[in-house]
């Protein structure tokens, strides 16, 4: 997979791309991630990429031309163009799985007061990571990239993500490690029993219990 990210602040991605699973996925050739400065695609003086909104109002709006030029330069027949936007569809694990099957993602980081509406004419998906406002689309684009890359074949073992929260619309089960007793809190006996059937049954029961308590809304779409 190849991921191209369009941003006004490329340095924000330095740590993200040079640590942990993302770094290893790049080094192992599982994914190619390029970060592009939108200002490199502007033809306006002083590298201008934004202007005041027609009709008045506060803030600055990302202009069409630099975004159109950037997408045109990067896009191929296999590309899916995504823009980060508070008005977009809320991102979830199902969307992450679907995107992980794509060959090429172009992710546009919105910023300032918003973007010229005409940019949506070259976009395949608007995505939000939640009902709140951030200063820009950089952090959301990192979240989406992280969620997608870990699902690419070979990045992590399939067992590591098959039991993730949300895979069956349930939260994950509780996990424990050594020591067996800490501050008078003990690891449940069933996990020490070696009986895999009982362990799986306990884990499913705890998933349902935790989901009902913390995210009852997910139970509406729960499937066995």
């Amino acid at each position: 997979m190849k991921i191209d990210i369009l941003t006004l602040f490329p340095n924000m991605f330095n740590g993200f791309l040079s640590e942990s699973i993302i770094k290893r996925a790049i080094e192992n050739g599982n994914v190619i991630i390029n970060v592009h400065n939108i200002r490199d695609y502007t033809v306006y003086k002083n590298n201008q990429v934004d202007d005041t909104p027609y009709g008045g109002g506060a803030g600055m709006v990302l202009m069409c031309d630099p975004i159109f030029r950037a997408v045109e330069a990067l896009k191929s027949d296999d590309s899916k163009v995504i823009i980060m936007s508070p008005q977009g569809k809320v991102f979830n694990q199902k969307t992450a799985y679907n995107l992980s099957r794509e060959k090429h993602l172009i992710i546009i980081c919105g910023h300032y007061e918003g973007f010229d509406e005409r940019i949506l004419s070259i976009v395949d998906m608007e995505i939000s990571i939640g009902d709140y406002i951030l200063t820009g689309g950089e952090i959301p684009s990192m979240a989406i990239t992280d969620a997608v890359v870990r699902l690419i074949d070979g990045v992590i073992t399939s067992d590591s993500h098959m039991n993730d929260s949300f895979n069956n619309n349930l939260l994950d089960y509780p996990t424990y490690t050594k020591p067996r007793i800490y501050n008078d809190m003990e690891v449940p006996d069933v996990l020490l029993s070696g009986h895999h059937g009982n362990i799986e049954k306990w884990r499913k029961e705890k998933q349902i219990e935790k989901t009902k308590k913390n995210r009852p809304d997910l139970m509406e779409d729960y499937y066995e």
Side-chain angles (χ1 to χ4, degrees):
M1 171 183 274
K2 181 180 180 182
I3 301 175
D4 286 298
I5 301 172
L6 299 175
T7 173
L8 294 175
F9 303 98
N11 289 339
M12 289 182 66
F13 293 84
N14 292 344
F16 173 69
L17 297 177
S18 61
E19 299 289 345
S20 191
I21 291 174
I22 299 297
K23 177 186 178 182
R24 292 198 297 272
I26 294 171
E27 291 177 344
N28 293 335
N30 302 113
V31 64
I32 298 171
I33 303 178
N34 299 312
V35 179
H36 306 269
N37 192 330
I38 295 171
R39 296 185 189 279
D40 292 340
Y41 296 91
T42 186
V43 296
Y44 297 100
K45 294 181 180 178
N46 302 318
N47 292 325
Q48 183 182 1
V49 294
D50 61 327
D51 212 328
T52 54
Y54 280 121
M60 303 291 281
V61 177
L62 282 177
M63 305 167 75
C64 284
D65 192 64
I67 302 296
F68 272 68
R69 288 178 181 274
V71 172
E72 182 178 349
L74 299 171
K75 190 174 182 180
S76 69
D77 291 339
D78 295 323
S79 303
K80 180 175 285 292
V81 182
I82 298 166
I83 192 164
M84 306 310 307
S85 165
Q87 291 85 33
K89 178 182 177 181
V90 178
F91 187 68
N92 59 25
Q93 190 69 4
K94 180 179 179 180
T95 303
Y97 269 108
N98 290 338
L99 292 179
S100 72
R101 299 185 180 100
E102 298 287 343
K103 295 182 179 179
H104 183 209
L105 302 179
I106 299 175
I107 304 177
I108 305 169
C109 301
H111 217 78
Y112 301 128
E113 191 61 28
F115 52 84
D116 190 303
E117 190 76 7
R118 290 168 289 188
I119 291 172
L120 293 180
S121 66
I122 58 169
V123 166
D124 298 304
M125 295 180 69
E126 283 185 88
I127 295 181
S128 167
I129 62 167
D131 296 334
Y132 47 88
I133 305 298
L134 299 173
T135 55
E138 284 72 23
I139 292 174
S141 73
M142 293 180 204
I144 287 175
T145 299
D146 185 275
V148 168
V149 168
R150 66 189 300 277
L151 297 175
I152 297 173
D153 288 343
V155 174
I156 61 175
T157 63
S158 59
D159 287 346
S160 294
H161 61 74
M162 287 305 295
N163 291 321
D164 283 342
S165 293
F166 308 114
N167 269 1
N168 56 358
N169 268 65
L170 295 177
L171 301 182
D172 204 358
Y173 50 75
T175 57
Y176 301 84
T177 189
K178 298 178 179 65
R180 179 176 178 178
I181 302 174
Y182 184 76
N183 285 353
D184 296 327
M185 294 180 288
E186 297 188 29
V187 174
D189 289 338
V190 65
L191 298 179
L192 308 170
S193 68
H195 194 298
H196 296 296
N198 288 345
I199 291 172
E200 289 303 311
K201 179 181 178 182
W202 179 88
R203 285 175 169 172
K204 177 57 70 66
E205 290 172 350
K206 290 300 179 181
Q207 279 189 284
I208 294 172
E209 179 182 307
K210 183 177 286 191
T211 305
K212 286 181 177 179
K213 178 182 178 182
N214 295 340
R215 289 291 305 276
D217 55 300
L218 294 176
M219 295 303 298
E220 297 177 6
D221 298 317
Y222 166 63
Y223 54 91
E224 293 287 350

